[in-house]
Amino acid sequence: MNPLLSGLFNQRNQNGHALGPIQKIDVPMRRYGEEEVDYVVVGVGSAGGVLLQRLSRAGFRVLGMEAGPFWNTERDWVSDEAGSHNLYWEDLRITGGEHPLALGANNSGRGVGGGSVHWAAFAPRLHPSDFRIYSQDGVGVDWPISYQELKPYYEQLEMEMPVAGPAWYPWGDPHGYPYGPHPMGGVGNALIKGCTALGIGVSIGGPVAILSGSHGDRQHCIYRGFCIQACKVGAKASTLITHVPDALENGAEIRDNCMVGRIHLNRENRVTGVSYFDAQGNEHFQKAKAVIVSGYAIESPRLLLNSACPGHENGLANSSDAVGRYLMAQAGNVILGRFEQLVRMYKAPPAHCMTEDFYETDPKRDFARGFAIQTVAPLPIAFAKQMMMAKGAWGWGLRRVMMDYNHWASFGLLGEILPWPENRVQLAAEKDRFGLPVAKVTFTLRDNDKKLIEFGKKKVMDVMSAAGAEEVVQESRYAHLVGACRMGSDPRTSVVDKFCRTHDIANLFVCDGSVLPTQGSANPGLTIQALAARTADYLISQGDAVFNSGRRDMTAPPIRRELAPPGTYGRGIPRLTSSSQ
Amino acid sequence: MTQPEKRKQPGYYPGFSTLSQQHSWDEATRRTVLQRMTHTREIRFFTSQEIPIITAVFDHVLPQSDRDPQYRIPIVPMVDERLYTNRIDGYRYEEMPPDQEAYRLGIAAIDEMARSIHDAPFVELAPLRQDELLRTLHDAKPQAAHSTWERMPVHRFWMLLVQDAAQVYYAHPYAWDEIGFGGPAYPRAYMRLERGEAEPWEVKEQRYEWQAPADSVSDRYELVGGHDEHRATPGQGGTH
Ligand SMILES: Cc1cc2nc3c(=O)[nH]c(=O)nc-3n(C[C@H](O)[C@H](O)[C@H](O)COP(=O)(O)OP(=O)(O)OC[C@H]3O[C@@H](n4cnc5c(N)ncnc54)[C@H](O)[C@@H]3O)c2cc1C
Ligand code: SF4
C-alpha cells in the first residue's frame, strides 16, 4: 500500500479513531493522492483546523499537511506530565537575543490540533483598543481591521469551541459566554481572595474553552488538571475534536506526519504547490491551486524563508523584509505563593479564573498598554523547574520545597509586549533531519516592555500576598508567540493583507498567529481561530477567482454562520448581546 | 556525617500510594508510568569514565540518601536515554553547544575543577567538598576550568543538570507519593477541588521537621548566578 494511504486509514478500520472517549471517526478519509487540490493548508493547528473545516464544508477540495501525527486520543495521550512531551514541537530551534525565549513545551505544538491540543484554553477576546494602539497610544501599529469586524467571529467561535464563563464579562466589549462558569479550584479561590481584598474585579470560572456541561459527543470536564498534557476526556476544545471531524466528513484530507519543506512558484508569480517529506523521509510534490500557510509564528516564516527562489531571493512574499520580523511573545511571569493551608493546585483545569482590570493603558503609569492576571497550576515537573528559577532550588532545597508542593498556588501575568522589527525569526546555519535550515529566534525587551513587566509582576505579587500567601516568589517567562508575518494595509511594511493574502503572491496566504500585528493581553487562541473563520469566509466569497486571477477584492463578505460544525450554532444556547454595538 | 532518617517514603503523606490507584487509570497512562518504573536500559551515552562522575553529580543535584536504597529513583539511566536518543526540548540557546556536548564538556570540567582545586578526582572528594564545588556552578562562580566555562555559560549548564534531574525524579510515582500529588485521574476525576481537601483515596498531610545532612550546602535558597540580570533565564515549562 502507498505509505500515504496507510497509517490512519488502517487504524480506523480496526476499531475507530478515537477523539475523546465518545467521539469516533468512522468514515474513511478521502484521499486525493497526487491529484491537484484547491487548497493545501500547511499545518493543522488552531487556525489550520478551522480553515479545513470551513473550506471543505463550502465544497472546496482541501488537503491539510501536518508535520505531526493524527492523534488517536485514547491510544496516544496519557494523564502524565513526562509522558506528554511528544505533543510539543521538539525539533531543534535556536534561541537568542538579550531575553531569549524558551521554546518547545513552553510554546508550540505538533500534530493534528497543533497548539490547541496543549493550550490551557483561556479564551478571552482582544479589546477594541487593541486594534488601534498606534492611534490611541502612539505605540506598535494599528490593525487593518477593527474589533467590530472581528466581533461576529468571536461570538461564533465562542459557540463552536464552546467557551464557558460568566454571563457578564465586563472588560473590553462586555459580553457573556454560552456555557456556564466552572467551579473553583484552590488557585482560583486564592485569586478571588487576593483580588477582592485589593478591590480588583475578577472573572470566575472562565472564559475558558472547556465544557462545563456535555456537548454533542463530548463530555464535560472532570477537573483532573492535565489540560496542558492534552485533554483525554474531550472536554477541552482543540481543533482536533471541534473542527477536524466535520472537515473529514466533508471530504477534506489530512496527511499526517508530512513536513512541508518548500512552496513552489511558477514564472507567472503564482504558487503551484508544495514539496513535503513523508514519515519515511521521502520527498513528494503536491499540486495545489492555492496554498495557506498555518504553521505557527515560527514555522510559517521559516517556511517562507526556506522557499526563497529567483525573484524572491529573501524568501517568498518578503518584498517588505517583514517576514520573520515583529515577532511577539507575551510577558508570562509566574508568581508563586506559599500558603499555610493546603491548596492542591493540581486539581481543576489550570485556567479557571482571571482579571483584566489592568488591561488598558493607564496614564498614571509610565508605560503604554497593560496586562491580565490568570490562574496557572503547574504539575510537579513544571513546578520543580519554577522553584529552580524562582528560588534557586537544587539538592536538598529542591527536595524540601517540593515536599510543600501542595501548599503553593500560582498566578500568571499576561502582559503585552510591543512588536519590534529586531525581534524576529531567521534561518540558522543548523539543519533539521530533512536538510532544511532550522529557525533562529531572536528576542530582546525594550523600555516599555520592561516597565510593564516590572509593574505587572509587582502587582501580581501584591495580589498573591493579599490572598494570604506567606512567601511570594516569581520567575520570568514569556508565552504565546505571535507576529512574524503581520497583516497590514501597506505592502511595504507587512506581509499579508486584511484577508491574510500575501501582498506579493495572489494565491499564497498565511493564516495563523503569525499574522497578528499586535497581541494585547489576551491569550491568542480564540483570536487566531476567529481570524481563520473570517479568512475562510473571504476565500469562499472569492470562489475560483483566487485560483485564476490576480485581482485583489477588498470587500468583506458577511459572516456565514451556517458553515459552523453541526450543533454549534442556532441551537438555543442562551447569549447576552453586548450593549456597546 | 549526620543523615536524615532513611525512609521508604520521605514526605508528609505517610502511606500515600498513587500506584495503589492504578486500577482507576486508563490503559495508555498505566503502560507509560509502569514502563518508566521498570526502565533498566544499559548506559549507552555516558562513557565508563563519565558514569561515576555524573552519578556523583546527580547524587548532589538531587540527593536521595534519605530513601531506602530500593526506593531510590534512578536518574542517570533516564538522562542517558534522553541524550542517546537525542530527545531535546525543542530548542537550544545560541551560546550553548548541543546537550550531548554540554554534558561531555561539563563532566570533564567538574573533574578538572576537583583536580585543580583539591588535587583529587571529583568522585574521591568528601561529600561536603563535592557539594561546595557544585554550589560554585549554581552561583556561576566556578573557581577553575575557566576555558570550558568560557565556551559554555556555566549557569545554563547548571540549569540543564537541575532540570534533567527534576524531570526524571518528579516523573516517578515514588516522588508523587512523597509530595502528595494525586497523579493520573482519568477516567475517574477529582471531585474535591477546594480548600486543599483530599480525595477519599488521598492522604492527610502529617508534617515533621527534618534536616539536610550536615555535610551539604544545598538546603538554602539563592538565585542561580545570584541577582545578575544577565543571567536571567525565562521559565522552561509551559503554563498558560
Ligand atoms: C503550555 C501552553 C499553554 C497555552 N495556553 C493558551 C491558552 O490558555 N489560551 C490561548 O489562547 N493560547 C494558549 N497557548 C497558545 C496557543 O496554543 C497558540 O497560540 C496557538 O495554538 C497557535 O495557533 P497557530 O494556528 O498559530 O499554530 P499551531 O496551533 O501551533 O499550529 C501549527 C501546526 O502546523 C504544523 N506545522 C508547522 N510547520 C509545518 C510544516 N512545515 N509542515 C507541516 N506542518 C507544519 C505544526 O505541527 C502544528 O500542528 C498556549 C500555549 C502553550 C505552549
Ligand atoms: S481539567 Fe478538564 S479540561 Fe482539563 S484535561 Fe482535565 S477534563 Fe480536560
Side-chain angles (χ1 to χ4, degrees):
Chain A
M1 197 181 202
N2 179 333
L4 295 179
L5 300 180
S6 60
L8 179 70
F9 198 82
N10 290 343
Q11 292 151 21
R12 256 199 277 110
N13 282 352
Q14 280 159 22
N15 43 18
H17 189 94
L19 298 181
I22 311 173
Q23 182 169 206
K24 302 254 184 318
I25 310 177
D26 291 319
V27 288
M29 194 196 299
R30 174 151 184 189
R31 295 288 178 183
Y32 289 105
E34 287 173 7
E35 272 172 66
E36 183 177 58
V37 295
D38 294 332
Y39 286 98
V40 158
V41 178
V42 181
V44 187
S46 291
V50 174
L51 286 164
L52 279 183
Q53 185 270 332
R54 288 296 203 276
L55 293 173
S56 60
R57 193 162 255 277
F60 288 98
R61 297 153 49 87
V62 286
L63 167 59
M65 296 269 183
E66 171 51 53
F70 195 135
W71 307 112
N72 178 321
T73 66
E74 283 291 297
R75 183 196 62 196
D76 301 333
W77 291 356
V78 289
S79 279
D80 180 63
E81 215 183 350
S84 300
H85 62 86
N86 57 348
L87 301 176
Y88 302 104
W89 190 279
E90 289 198 308
D91 288 353
L92 182 66
R93 289 162 172 164
I94 309 295
T95 187
E98 280 173 43
H99 302 91
L101 301 172
L103 305 172
N106 189 53
N107 273 303
S108 63
R110 192 165 169 280
V112 175
S116 71
V117 163
H118 61 67
W119 69 334
F122 266 124
R125 301 178 186 177
L126 290 175
H127 288 197
S129 65
D130 286 317
F131 295 78
R132 44 187 165 82
I133 70 170
Y134 184 74
S135 308
Q136 189 187 292
D137 299 314
V139 294
V141 66
D142 288 354
W143 287 49
I145 58 173
S146 69
Y147 171 81
Q148 289 304 333
E149 281 170 87
L150 201 54
K151 177 175 174 168
Y153 293 95
Y154 276 141
E155 293 175 340
Q156 185 62 30
L157 266 296
E158 282 165 0
M159 286 188 274
E160 292 178 28
M161 289 177 171
V163 181
W168 178 250
Y169 189 76
W171 297 287
D173 176 19
H175 56 279
Y177 287 99
Y179 267 59
H182 285 273
M184 285 298 95
V187 184
N189 279 336
L191 186 59
I192 295 171
K193 192 166 170 207
C195 284
T196 306
L198 300 180
I200 299 166
V202 61
S203 167
I204 299 173
V208 61
I210 295 177
L211 293 176
S212 48
S214 54
H215 174 84
D217 45 13
R218 291 170 52 201
Q219 75 174 71
H220 61 71
C221 177
I222 63 169
Y223 304 99
R224 71 199 243 284
F226 280 93
C227 303
I228 289 172
Q229 287 67 34
C231 180
K232 223 176 149 142
V233 178
K236 188 189 72 172
S238 67
T239 57
L240 173 69
I241 63 171
T242 56
H243 288 81
V244 162
D246 194 51
L248 300 188
E249 197 81 37
N250 286 290
E253 174 184 347
I254 291 177
R255 228 167 264 178
D256 63 337
N257 294 311
C258 287
M259 171 78 184
V260 174
R262 171 178 276 278
I263 300 165
H264 292 267
L265 205 67
N266 66 13
R267 282 204 210 91
E268 285 80 55
N269 200 44
R270 296 188 68 84
V271 161
T272 56
V274 298
S275 45
Y276 67 94
F277 297 90
D278 65 22
Q280 287 71 36
N282 300 316
E283 196 169 359
H284 305 266
F285 178 70
Q286 175 64 46
K287 272 174 84 174
K289 294 180 187 161
V291 171
I292 310 176
V293 182
S294 304
Y296 190 68
I298 298 179
E299 293 306 313
S300 290
R302 175 186 175 210
L303 178 59
L304 295 179
L305 295 173
N306 270 333
S307 301
C309 62
H312 295 265
E313 281 76 8
N314 296 328
L316 282 194
N318 195 19
S319 63
S320 59
D321 191 31
V323 169
R325 292 188 186 272
Y326 306 101
L327 178 76
M328 292 167 280
Q330 284 165 325
N333 297 54
V334 177
I335 284 72
L336 303 122
R338 188 192 184 280
F339 291 78
E340 180 60 37
Q341 68 278 21
L342 288 166
V343 178
R344 293 190 187 264
M345 68 174 156
Y346 55 89
K347 299 183 185 188
H352 61 272
C353 186
M354 60 180 284
T355 175
E356 288 186 352
D357 253 15
F358 304 96
Y359 195 106
E360 300 287 340
T361 298
D362 179 347
K364 293 198 284 287
R365 302 181 206 137
D366 62 347
F367 57 87
R369 307 310 297 157
F371 56 91
I373 306 175
Q374 306 183 324
T375 51
V376 295
L379 294 182
I381 294 172
F383 183 73
K385 293 181 184 179
Q386 285 169 343
M387 286 294 121
M388 168 186 82
M389 294 308 307
K391 277 174 77 86
W394 67 284
W396 292 106
L398 183 62
R399 290 282 309 284
R400 184 182 295 283
V401 71
M402 287 303 293
M403 286 190 200
D404 272 353
Y405 173 64
N406 283 341
H407 285 268
W408 289 78
S410 62
F411 301 156
L413 171 75
L414 198 67
E416 174 164 5
I417 292 175
L418 297 171
W420 306 108
E422 297 79 12
N423 288 344
R424 64 190 295 200
V425 176
Q426 291 165 288
L427 298 178
E430 282 91 339
K431 302 212 164 107
D432 68 8
R433 65 200 134 105
F434 306 114
L436 305 168
V438 304
K440 175 175 177 215
V441 177
T442 305
F443 196 74
T444 299
L445 299 173
R446 301 295 196 81
D447 197 43
N448 195 79
D449 311 326
K450 289 182 189 164
K451 284 179 177 156
L452 184 149
I453 292 172
E454 218 24 58
F455 182 95
K457 100 184 170 202
K458 288 213 179 85
K459 184 60 75 180
V460 187
M461 292 176 96
D462 288 348
V463 175
M464 189 62 92
S465 300
E470 57 202 14
E471 178 188 356
V472 180
V473 296
Q474 74 93 34
E475 68 159 5
S476 330
R477 202 183 140 255
Y478 306 95
H480 309 149
L481 270 66
V482 295
C485 294
R486 70 177 182 180
M487 61 158 68
S489 320
D490 186 348
R492 289 166 307 178
T493 57
S494 59
V495 179
V496 298
D497 68 20
K498 64 177 179 176
F499 299 112
C500 294
R501 190 198 300 245
T502 60
H503 292 300
D504 296 353
I505 301 167
N507 63 341
L508 175 63
F509 297 77
V510 181
C511 182
D512 59 11
S514 60
V515 304
L516 269 57
T518 62
Q519 58 181 349
S521 305
N523 321 55
L526 173 71
T527 300
I528 291 170
Q529 293 192 33
L531 276 173
R534 178 176 179 273
T535 301
D537 275 358
Y538 173 77
L539 296 175
I540 294 162
S541 76
Q542 295 299 304
D544 285 354
V546 171
F547 309 138
N548 49 36
S549 120
R551 206 172 79 83
R552 203 172 280 266
D553 179 358
M554 296 307 279
T555 42
I559 183 168
R560 301 263 314 260
R561 295 192 193 274
E562 71 281 10
L563 291 178
T568 59
Y569 173 66
R571 284 289 196 82
I573 298 168
R575 286 189 71 76
L576 291 177
T577 329
S578 86
S579 50
S580 71
Q581 257 300 342
Chain B
M1 80 184 179
T2 59
Q3 278 290 350
E5 195 186 331
K6 271 205 189 24
R7 294 166 189 262
K8 174 180 164 201
Q9 183 176 317
Y12 313 136
Y13 301 89
F16 177 50
S17 164
T18 42
L19 279 178
S20 74
Q21 298 302 311
Q22 55 176 290
H23 60 272
S24 75
W25 303 351
D26 68 278
E27 183 54 38
T29 301
R30 187 164 44 235
R31 208 177 323 115
T32 301
V33 175
L34 295 183
Q35 247 167 32
R36 179 175 305 151
M37 298 198 57
T38 52
H39 177 95
T40 50
R41 207 184 264 294
E42 53 174 326
I43 303 290
R44 295 178 294 177
F45 170 76
F46 293 117
T47 65
S48 51
Q49 287 85 6
E50 288 168 338
I51 293 171
I53 306 175
I54 193 67
T55 305
V57 167
F58 278 129
D59 282 347
H60 290 267
V61 170
L62 222 154
Q64 305 188 46
S65 54
D66 58 340
R67 285 186 161 273
D68 276 347
Q70 71 269 37
Y71 291 101
R72 287 186 190 156
I73 299 169
I75 309 273
V76 177
M78 299 297 262
V79 176
D80 182 85
E81 168 97 348
R82 178 178 92 70
L83 295 170
Y84 184 79
T85 56
N86 194 29
R87 198 169 72 59
I88 59 170
D89 278 345
Y91 64 104
R92 193 179 90 218
Y93 290 98
E94 66 180 330
E95 72 276 26
M96 278 295 279
D99 289 358
Q100 290 84 350
E101 200 183 324
Y103 267 95
R104 296 241 191 276
L105 285 172
I107 291 170
I110 288 169
D111 206 41
E112 186 188 328
M113 288 167 73
R115 288 169 197 270
S116 97
I117 301 166
H118 300 294
D119 233 2
F122 183 76
V123 291
E124 285 172 21
L125 301 186
L128 179 61
R129 295 280 165 271
Q130 292 179 329
D131 228 35
E132 285 171 346
L133 189 148
L134 292 173
R135 176 131 212 137
T136 66
L137 303 188
H138 174 91
D139 296 339
K141 293 193 183 93
Q143 306 295 311
H146 297 294
S147 66
T148 302
W149 304 124
E150 271 157 28
R151 281 170 67 192
M152 172 167 82
V154 61
H155 67 292
R156 292 222 193 282
F157 173 69
W158 176 251
M159 288 189 288
L160 186 65
L161 282 180
V162 180
Q163 274 182 77
D164 264 330
Q167 218 149 259
V168 174
Y169 190 86
Y170 292 103
H172 200 286
Y174 294 165
W176 301 342
D177 300 343
E178 173 181 323
I179 67 174
F181 167 60
Y186 169 74
R188 178 170 56 187
Y190 292 128
M191 296 292 284
R192 288 149 186 80
L193 309 180
E194 300 188 86
R195 296 173 295 277
E197 274 168 25
E199 307 296 317
W201 45 273
E202 290 181 319
V203 164
K204 287 222 164 55
E205 187 191 42
Q206 290 178 38
R207 298 185 73 83
Y208 57 86
E209 290 298 320
W210 59 273
Q211 268 171 1
D215 55 0
S216 68
V217 293
S218 61
D219 194 17
R220 61 188 151 90
Y221 301 105
E222 259 160 63
L223 296 185
V224 178
H227 287 267
D228 184 346
E229 216 240 318
H230 293 292
R231 301 244 160 69
T233 295
Q236 318 290 301
T239 45
H240 62 304

